[in-house]
Amino acid sequence: MTGPASSNANGAEIFVRALESEGVKYIFAVPGEENLDLLEALRKSGIQLILNRHEQAAGFMAATYGRLTGRVGVCLSTLGPGATNLVTAAAYAQLGAMPMMMISGQKPIKSSKQGLFQILDVVDLMRPLTKYTRQISNANTIPAKIREAFRLASEERPGAVHLELPEDIASEITEPDIHIFQPSDARRPTASTKSLEMACEMIHQARHPLIMIGAGANRKRVSQALVHLVNSSNIPFFTTQMGKGVVDERHPRYLGNAALSSGDFVHCAIDHADLVINVGHDVVEKPPFFMKPGGKQVIHVNFSGADVDPVYFPQHEVVGDIANSVEYLAAHCPPCDSHDFSRFMEVKAAVDEHVHAGESDSRFPIIPQRIVHDVRQVMPEDGIIALDNGMYKLWFARNYPAYDNNTVLLDNALASMGAGLPSAMMAAMLYPRLKVMAVCGDGGFLMNSQELETAVRLKLNLVVLIINDSAYGMIKWKQSQEGFPEFGLDYDNPDFVKYAEAYGATGHRVTRTEDLRPILASAQSAGGVHLVDVPVDYSENKRVFDEELAELTCNL
């Protein structure tokens, strides 16, 4: 279906009308003078403009909108440095399979206004980071280009798209009979019956099958289907970092999270498996295990075919809508007498015991295990935590049980620092009745900390937990693992309590371990934006991950 637009509309007005037709509710933006016609058209529209303090944060919010809703999030920048500031967010959405559209301005293309001042080839810059990037050179083509951009951003595998709207095209009067294209009613194709039957046969023939749940499964319909499969087949499962919560992790068949690349209890289960049913994972997310020629078999269940890699070359692929594929497997793979899960259950017992170790430790500064435990205690079952990137992400992925899909927002594809606060802000905007917490390191927080002002201005209810070690802690850990002396990774921080108060938020400093949990609970109950600064003792990184796990898994 198409719909006529009114006569005498300029390109910017048609652009906004096409966005409205796509169902756009928000645009996250740091506008410039090249966007003024578009701003005026937005002022007259039903789309809410969210003014950010940095383009990267605007992109992170748009990408997280796409991640949480399945609809395309939209962000806006000016030309030159505004557009280059979107590059990290473009990669974040593209690698994380989050549908997002970026709009950037540009100087007039039909006449020179200021020579080459601030002009970059942004379309070419975005090409390797997006599924689609175009400059609009004729206002009459705007509806078609927007429809195509939204189609590609949404189609599997979802990702980033980009449109450049030059100043003179935004102000150009369109033809009176221009039409806005409506979204089509597209459905994902289903996997072939033959491929599904073969998958069932492989599962039946396996002795120790194991289910792996990845990022592509982190959707409501897939979550429900996977619960059916686990319950009907009794096959144990584990998750990647971005697959957390797809199935309630209190499930008796949950073996743990592959937070580490190797050497954890869950890898004992993976090594024992003769068949891994890989649901929704691809090689963009950091691999939780590496395939070897002549090793275990892998069934790839995903929306699209596998990208073959030296560490990932599945022997069988079930390509199509994941939920439909998993429901078929659930209906046709009942418990099998030949399956033996005894080793997996030994692994589960070891995992369950180990993730609870240290959760009551009272030393100060606080060890990561206690921080994770106290956060889980104050978060309701449907509460959302959004993790930035740092050492604590491994601890939360491993030790924090998730009860529902998309209640733990983390990124293990681009793994960019600076995304935690904007992601949490987006969740708080979308779900104002849910409890939302950003969990950030001091380093990652300061990369987009200016967005505290945005959060306060939007009157969000949000707790920001800063895990403070005054260093780039994960790199210090890696430095130690490689045998290098400590060097170049320590820094000084501002007074985070005063920093929060300067933005109109409420700041809290934890000075005793027993105070963390009540401070977090009080901040959640009070509403508004709260920042909680907690010092962390990261000596546990080496003791647990490098020493203790090596000994315990060796003896399992």
Side-chain angles (χ1 to χ4, degrees), residues 326-341:
V326 174
E327 285 288 7
Y328 182 97
L329 297 179
H332 294 84
C333 296
C336 183
D337 292 339
S338 62
H339 289 169
D340 178 8
F341 302 132

PDB file of all heavy atoms in Angstrom, residues 326-341:
ATOM      1  N   VAL A 326      12.651 -24.605  16.631  1.00  0.00           N
ATOM      2  CA  VAL A 326      12.787 -25.172  17.972  1.00  0.00           C
ATOM      3  C   VAL A 326      11.487 -25.849  18.411  1.00  0.00           C
ATOM      4  O   VAL A 326      11.506 -26.904  19.055  1.00  0.00           O
ATOM      5  CB  VAL A 326      13.232 -24.087  18.976  1.00  0.00           C
ATOM      6  CG1 VAL A 326      13.241 -24.631  20.401  1.00  0.00           C
ATOM      7  CG2 VAL A 326      14.624 -23.565  18.608  1.00  0.00           C
ATOM      8  N   GLU A 327      10.347 -25.278  18.041  1.00  0.00           N
ATOM      9  CA  GLU A 327       9.067 -25.918  18.365  1.00  0.00           C
ATOM     10  C   GLU A 327       8.952 -27.270  17.683  1.00  0.00           C
ATOM     11  O   GLU A 327       8.432 -28.233  18.265  1.00  0.00           O
ATOM     12  CB  GLU A 327       7.899 -25.010  17.959  1.00  0.00           C
ATOM     13  CG  GLU A 327       7.660 -23.818  18.880  1.00  0.00           C
ATOM     14  CD  GLU A 327       7.078 -24.211  20.236  1.00  0.00           C
ATOM     15  OE1 GLU A 327       6.967 -25.419  20.539  1.00  0.00           O
ATOM     16  OE2 GLU A 327       6.737 -23.300  21.011  1.00  0.00           O
ATOM     17  N   TYR A 328       9.431 -27.374  16.444  1.00  0.00           N
ATOM     18  CA  TYR A 328       9.419 -28.666  15.746  1.00  0.00           C
ATOM     19  C   TYR A 328      10.276 -29.672  16.506  1.00  0.00           C
ATOM     20  O   TYR A 328       9.873 -30.820  16.720  1.00  0.00           O
ATOM     21  CB  TYR A 328       9.930 -28.489  14.316  1.00  0.00           C
ATOM     22  CG  TYR A 328       9.908 -29.784  13.511  1.00  0.00           C
ATOM     23  CD1 TYR A 328       8.841 -30.059  12.658  1.00  0.00           C
ATOM     24  CD2 TYR A 328      10.940 -30.722  13.617  1.00  0.00           C
ATOM     25  CE1 TYR A 328       8.806 -31.249  11.929  1.00  0.00           C
ATOM     26  CE2 TYR A 328      10.909 -31.902  12.899  1.00  0.00           C
ATOM     27  CZ  TYR A 328       9.846 -32.160  12.056  1.00  0.00           C
ATOM     28  OH  TYR A 328       9.802 -33.333  11.338  1.00  0.00           O
ATOM     29  N   LEU A 329      11.475 -29.247  16.904  1.00  0.00           N
ATOM     30  CA  LEU A 329      12.360 -30.153  17.642  1.00  0.00           C
ATOM     31  C   LEU A 329      11.721 -30.561  18.965  1.00  0.00           C
ATOM     32  O   LEU A 329      11.827 -31.727  19.374  1.00  0.00           O
ATOM     33  CB  LEU A 329      13.713 -29.479  17.895  1.00  0.00           C
ATOM     34  CG  LEU A 329      14.552 -29.119  16.664  1.00  0.00           C
ATOM     35  CD1 LEU A 329      15.850 -28.442  17.083  1.00  0.00           C
ATOM     36  CD2 LEU A 329      14.855 -30.346  15.817  1.00  0.00           C
ATOM     37  N   ALA A 330      11.047 -29.621  19.629  1.00  0.00           N
ATOM     38  CA  ALA A 330      10.393 -29.942  20.902  1.00  0.00           C
ATOM     39  C   ALA A 330       9.303 -30.991  20.709  1.00  0.00           C
ATOM     40  O   ALA A 330       9.121 -31.883  21.553  1.00  0.00           O
ATOM     41  CB  ALA A 330       9.805 -28.673  21.514  1.00  0.00           C
ATOM     42  N   ALA A 331       8.590 -30.904  19.580  1.00  0.00           N
ATOM     43  CA  ALA A 331       7.493 -31.840  19.323  1.00  0.00           C
ATOM     44  C   ALA A 331       7.990 -33.205  18.854  1.00  0.00           C
ATOM     45  O   ALA A 331       7.261 -34.204  18.981  1.00  0.00           O
ATOM     46  CB  ALA A 331       6.543 -31.245  18.280  1.00  0.00           C
ATOM     47  N   HIS A 332       9.202 -33.280  18.321  1.00  0.00           N
ATOM     48  CA  HIS A 332       9.673 -34.520  17.705  1.00  0.00           C
ATOM     49  C   HIS A 332      10.914 -35.110  18.378  1.00  0.00           C
ATOM     50  O   HIS A 332      11.471 -36.087  17.865  1.00  0.00           O
ATOM     51  CB  HIS A 332       9.969 -34.282  16.218  1.00  0.00           C
ATOM     52  CG  HIS A 332       8.752 -33.951  15.413  1.00  0.00           C
ATOM     53  ND1 HIS A 332       8.240 -32.674  15.319  1.00  0.00           N
ATOM     54  CD2 HIS A 332       7.921 -34.736  14.667  1.00  0.00           C
ATOM     55  CE1 HIS A 332       7.165 -32.670  14.549  1.00  0.00           C
ATOM     56  NE2 HIS A 332       6.940 -33.909  14.139  1.00  0.00           N
ATOM     57  N   CYS A 333      11.344 -34.526  19.478  1.00  0.00           N
ATOM     58  CA  CYS A 333      12.525 -35.056  20.177  1.00  0.00           C
ATOM     59  C   CYS A 333      12.191 -35.331  21.639  1.00  0.00           C
ATOM     60  O   CYS A 333      12.606 -34.584  22.541  1.00  0.00           O
ATOM     61  CB  CYS A 333      13.695 -34.072  20.080  1.00  0.00           C
ATOM     62  SG  CYS A 333      14.301 -33.804  18.405  1.00  0.00           S
ATOM     63  N   PRO A 334      11.443 -36.405  21.898  1.00  0.00           N
ATOM     64  CA  PRO A 334      11.138 -36.756  23.290  1.00  0.00           C
ATOM     65  C   PRO A 334      12.386 -37.309  23.978  1.00  0.00           C
ATOM     66  O   PRO A 334      13.414 -37.529  23.330  1.00  0.00           O
ATOM     67  CB  PRO A 334      10.073 -37.844  23.130  1.00  0.00           C
ATOM     68  CG  PRO A 334      10.377 -38.473  21.816  1.00  0.00           C
ATOM     69  CD  PRO A 334      10.878 -37.362  20.933  1.00  0.00           C
ATOM     70  N   PRO A 335      12.312 -37.526  25.296  1.00  0.00           N
ATOM     71  CA  PRO A 335      13.460 -38.124  25.988  1.00  0.00           C
ATOM     72  C   PRO A 335      13.892 -39.425  25.310  1.00  0.00           C
ATOM     73  O   PRO A 335      13.059 -40.229  24.877  1.00  0.00           O
ATOM     74  CB  PRO A 335      12.919 -38.382  27.395  1.00  0.00           C
ATOM     75  CG  PRO A 335      11.830 -37.376  27.566  1.00  0.00           C
ATOM     76  CD  PRO A 335      11.205 -37.231  26.217  1.00  0.00           C
ATOM     77  N   CYS A 336      15.202 -39.599  25.216  1.00  0.00           N
ATOM     78  CA  CYS A 336      15.750 -40.754  24.505  1.00  0.00           C
ATOM     79  C   CYS A 336      16.523 -41.628  25.497  1.00  0.00           C
ATOM     80  O   CYS A 336      17.369 -41.134  26.253  1.00  0.00           O
ATOM     81  CB  CYS A 336      16.669 -40.268  23.387  1.00  0.00           C
ATOM     82  SG  CYS A 336      17.352 -41.583  22.379  1.00  0.00           S
ATOM     83  N   ASP A 337      16.244 -42.927  25.498  1.00  0.00           N
ATOM     84  CA  ASP A 337      16.882 -43.846  26.455  1.00  0.00           C
ATOM     85  C   ASP A 337      18.395 -43.900  26.281  1.00  0.00           C
ATOM     86  O   ASP A 337      19.123 -44.201  27.236  1.00  0.00           O
ATOM     87  CB  ASP A 337      16.302 -45.250  26.302  1.00  0.00           C
ATOM     88  CG  ASP A 337      14.847 -45.334  26.755  1.00  0.00           C
ATOM     89  OD1 ASP A 337      14.439 -44.443  27.535  1.00  0.00           O
ATOM     90  OD2 ASP A 337      14.136 -46.262  26.327  1.00  0.00           O
ATOM     91  N   SER A 338      18.874 -43.622  25.089  1.00  0.00           N
ATOM     92  CA  SER A 338      20.319 -43.718  24.849  1.00  0.00           C
ATOM     93  C   SER A 338      21.088 -42.491  25.338  1.00  0.00           C
ATOM     94  O   SER A 338      22.313 -42.506  25.409  1.00  0.00           O
ATOM     95  CB  SER A 338      20.591 -43.925  23.354  1.00  0.00           C
ATOM     96  OG  SER A 338      20.121 -42.813  22.612  1.00  0.00           O
ATOM     97  N   HIS A 339      20.374 -41.429  25.666  1.00  0.00           N
ATOM     98  CA  HIS A 339      21.057 -40.225  26.138  1.00  0.00           C
ATOM     99  C   HIS A 339      21.583 -40.425  27.557  1.00  0.00           C
ATOM    100  O   HIS A 339      20.919 -41.017  28.411  1.00  0.00           O
ATOM    101  CB  HIS A 339      20.113 -39.023  26.117  1.00  0.00           C
ATOM    102  CG  HIS A 339      19.780 -38.540  24.746  1.00  0.00           C
ATOM    103  ND1 HIS A 339      18.777 -37.623  24.497  1.00  0.00           N
ATOM    104  CD2 HIS A 339      20.324 -38.835  23.531  1.00  0.00           C
ATOM    105  CE1 HIS A 339      18.714 -37.380  23.202  1.00  0.00           C
ATOM    106  NE2 HIS A 339      19.646 -38.106  22.597  1.00  0.00           N
ATOM    107  N   ASP A 340      22.759 -39.915  27.805  1.00  0.00           N
ATOM    108  CA  ASP A 340      23.383 -40.000  29.125  1.00  0.00           C
ATOM    109  C   ASP A 340      23.833 -38.603  29.544  1.00  0.00           C
ATOM    110  O   ASP A 340      24.766 -38.042  28.973  1.00  0.00           O
ATOM    111  CB  ASP A 340      24.580 -40.949  29.079  1.00  0.00           C
ATOM    112  CG  ASP A 340      25.307 -41.043  30.412  1.00  0.00           C
ATOM    113  OD1 ASP A 340      24.794 -40.496  31.412  1.00  0.00           O
ATOM    114  OD2 ASP A 340      26.394 -41.643  30.449  1.00  0.00           O
ATOM    115  N   PHE A 341      23.153 -38.034  30.551  1.00  0.00           N
ATOM    116  CA  PHE A 341      23.443 -36.681  31.005  1.00  0.00           C
ATOM    117  C   PHE A 341      24.116 -36.651  32.379  1.00  0.00           C
ATOM    118  O   PHE A 341      24.202 -35.595  33.014  1.00  0.00           O
ATOM    119  CB  PHE A 341      22.150 -35.861  31.067  1.00  0.00           C
ATOM    120  CG  PHE A 341      21.409 -35.780  29.758  1.00  0.00           C
ATOM    121  CD1 PHE A 341      20.040 -36.028  29.694  1.00  0.00           C
ATOM    122  CD2 PHE A 341      22.074 -35.461  28.586  1.00  0.00           C
ATOM    123  CE1 PHE A 341      19.350 -35.950  28.497  1.00  0.00           C
ATOM    124  CE2 PHE A 341      21.394 -35.388  27.380  1.00  0.00           C
ATOM    125  CZ  PHE A 341      20.030 -35.627  27.323  1.00  0.00           C
TER     126      PHE A 341
END
